[in-house]
Amino acid sequence: MKELAQIASAVQASSTMVMDALAKQMQADGVDVIGFGAGEPDFNTPDHIKEAAKHAITENVTRYTPASGTIAMKQAVCRRMKEDCGLDYVPSQVVVSSGAKHCVYIALRTLVNPGDEVILPAPFWVSYLELIKMVGATPVVVTAEESAGFKMTAEQLADAITPKTKALILNNPNNPTGMVYAEEELSAIARVCVEKDIYVISDEVYYGLLYDGVKSVSFASLGEDVKARTILVNGVSKSYAMTGWRIGYLLSSGKIAQMMGNFLSHSTGSPSSVSQAASVAALNGSQDCVEQMRRAFELRRNYIVERINAMEGVSCLKPEGAFYVMMNIGKQLGRTLHGELISSSDDFAAALLKHGLVATVPGSGMGAPNFIRWSYATGMDNIKKGMDRLQGFLNG
Ligand code: GLU
């Protein structure tokens, strides 16, 4: 038979999804594994959102919607972005799709030609790298060191730009590091993007989950010239505990939005009608549920960071957003733990799962080879137990 598509053959499975599936499989098989793998809130979707979905089903809101989303959904997005981020968008600049991940894909599809370069600061969320490759573009990875707070500087960005550079993917607050750019750092990056004429896909899906009183600054709020070249990605999954509903959205200039809508009309057809009705309730309803979950995440972050840093041979920065901690395991490399030689973050994660019954994600697929990502989107009891298990595991 003929060769299968080269691009598809080269795509790697998502390590976050693989780890999550593995942990769930082990749990189903009766193994007492604690999952810190996928970044998925453990909270249930709030009741008023579920009620809106039930109502939509009863009222037969069960048909196709416009390819880029319902008017009600687009209006709700505009309102929420205005209220939370001070952004002025109109509904024709909003595109709704099946999750923020798919939104990033559509944005890349709209911006880049095969052979274009897309700059990706590391550590990065696993899917960005593969998504760039999936559109035939070339990822240019710029490493933001732990000593720099995992933040790429404007100078690093400028140095990475070539005549082939089309876009930058910026994720703020960041998955996997949880770091948050300050406004001046973001502005410096934005100036380089304007001067060098590159687009920015700004994934701000964790914007509602910030700690220590840190305020969210949307990239598109940094000036009209910045906004014009930004495609903003957001979604309801993380802030409203709605991962399974698969609703993300994009904000951009009307022309780009139109192109993305055209693309969607031939690919997904439309996002789920029921999920959009639920998302309208999430965006328009009381935001108290977001604050309640945010507070719980902050307590968990405080606990997990303190425990990790109290252990010998591992450490982590204190993230200001999202629900991830990057644990530095550089000192563990070369050790033998429970009979397993630890030569990489993959070895560490595999051994921790096997001998410590704790599922995490190795940093290898995230441009962070000496790190392990912990998602603390799980209950405090699990976190306490997980930290005890980590301690036991490290003791050898
Ligand atoms: N975004 C979450 C994570 O990084 C969910 C899984 C995924 O889509 O990668 O764990």
Side-chain angles (χ1 to χ4, degrees):
M1 283 194 287
K2 289 193 174 166
E3 187 197 7
L4 297 175
Q6 284 170 3
I7 287 186
S9 304
V11 171
Q12 303 293 316
S14 158
S15 56
T16 53
M17 308 292 274
V18 167
M19 207 35 136
D20 189 49
L22 189 59
K24 284 182 177 143
Q25 182 61 57
M26 289 173 79
Q27 283 159 355
D29 292 345
V31 184
D32 173 29
V33 170
I34 307 177
F36 293 87
E40 172 165 61
D42 54 316
F43 300 108
N44 293 326
T45 301
D47 285 342
H48 70 283
I49 301 174
K50 292 194 283 198
E51 286 308 320
K54 288 183 203 164
H55 183 71
I57 293 170
T58 307
E59 293 300 313
N60 296 308
V61 184
T62 52
R63 300 192 166 84
Y64 295 136
T65 78
S68 58
T70 62
I71 295 292
M73 179 65 193
K74 293 180 183 187
Q75 285 170 334
V77 166
C78 292
R79 181 178 159 206
R80 180 70 21 235
M81 288 295 99
K82 174 74 180 166
E83 232 166 76
D84 292 353
C85 308
L87 296 171
D88 285 303
Y89 283 98
V90 293
S92 61
Q93 296 174 308
V94 179
V95 167
V96 184
S97 189
S98 308
K101 189 180 306 199
H102 195 244
C103 288
V104 175
Y105 177 64
I106 296 300
L108 283 166
R109 271 271 170 245
T110 309
L111 295 180
V112 305
N113 290 314
D116 284 347
E117 291 176 358
V118 177
I119 296 179
L120 181 61
F124 48 77
W125 173 47
V126 277
S127 290
Y128 297 134
L129 190 76
E130 300 303 321
L131 287 166
I132 294 169
K133 292 196 239 160
M134 279 163 68
V135 298
T138 307
V140 174
V141 173
V142 175
T143 300
E145 302 291 347
E146 187 188 32
S147 55
F150 290 125
K151 295 183 201 182
M152 177 186 71
T153 63
E155 291 72 33
Q156 281 182 298
L157 172 63
D159 288 347
I161 293 174
T162 74
K164 285 189 175 171
T165 307
K166 183 61 82 63
L168 159 71
I169 297 185
L170 200 66
N171 179 212
N172 183 46
N174 182 270
N175 172 7
T177 66
M179 70 82 208
V180 181
Y181 283 92
E183 183 163 0
E184 21 341 324
E185 294 164 337
L186 222 45
S187 290
I189 288 172
R191 284 301 111 218
V192 173
C193 296
V194 172
E195 274 160 32
K196 304 274 184 173
D197 188 21
I198 63 171
Y199 291 98
V200 180
I201 298 173
S202 184
D203 183 347
E204 301 176 8
V205 75
Y206 295 97
Y207 86 107
L209 301 174
L210 292 167
Y211 314 119
D212 304 327
V214 167
K215 294 273 171 273
S216 94
V217 177
S218 173
F219 200 77
S221 72
L222 298 171
E224 281 308 312
D225 50 354
V226 180
K227 188 180 170 195
R229 60 185 59 254
T230 300
I231 301 184
L232 203 62
V233 177
N234 212 320
V236 295
S237 295
K238 313 294 184 184
S239 293
Y240 303 98
M242 291 180 70
T243 48
W245 300 79
R246 307 311 304 134
I247 293 292
Y249 53 87
L250 298 138
L251 299 115
S252 63
S253 73
K255 179 166 185 237
I256 293 176
Q258 174 84 47
M259 285 170 69
M260 293 194 290
N262 292 348
F263 194 92
L264 288 172
S265 72
H266 296 291
S267 47
T268 49
S270 76
S272 151
S273 57
V274 174
S275 294
Q276 286 184 82
S279 301
V280 169
L283 295 167
N284 283 345
S286 162
Q287 301 298 294
D288 291 353
C289 55
V290 182
E291 177 55 16
Q292 274 165 20
M293 291 189 266
R294 192 201 64 76
R295 276 203 215 124
F297 285 133
E298 185 159 3
L299 292 176
R300 296 169 182 187
R301 177 207 60 161
N302 294 346
Y303 179 82
I304 199 168
V305 166
E306 206 179 302
R307 285 291 306 266
I308 288 176
N309 283 324
M311 290 181 212
E312 193 65 29
V314 289
S315 62
C316 68
L317 297 182
K318 192 172 191 182
E320 293 177 321
F323 36 59
Y324 306 105
V325 169
M326 282 297 255
M327 181 173 79
N328 190 325
I329 55 145
K331 290 189 181 149
Q332 302 301 320
L333 301 180
R335 282 188 75 190
T336 298
L337 289 169
H338 303 271
E340 316 269 357
L341 176 65
I342 309 295
S343 307
S344 65
S345 60
D346 294 276
D347 291 345
F348 187 94
L352 180 59
L353 180 60
K354 187 168 160 199
H355 301 283
L357 298 181
V358 166
T360 54
V361 183
S364 53
M366 302 173 166
N370 292 351
F371 292 84
I372 291 286
R373 189 191 80 171
W374 294 78
S375 159
Y376 54 85
T378 186
M380 202 55 146
D381 288 350
N382 274 345
I383 296 176
K384 287 184 177 159
K385 237 201 275 179
M387 288 295 109
D388 291 344
R389 288 185 186 186
L390 171 65
Q391 181 67 77
F393 174 75
L394 289 173
N395 289 344

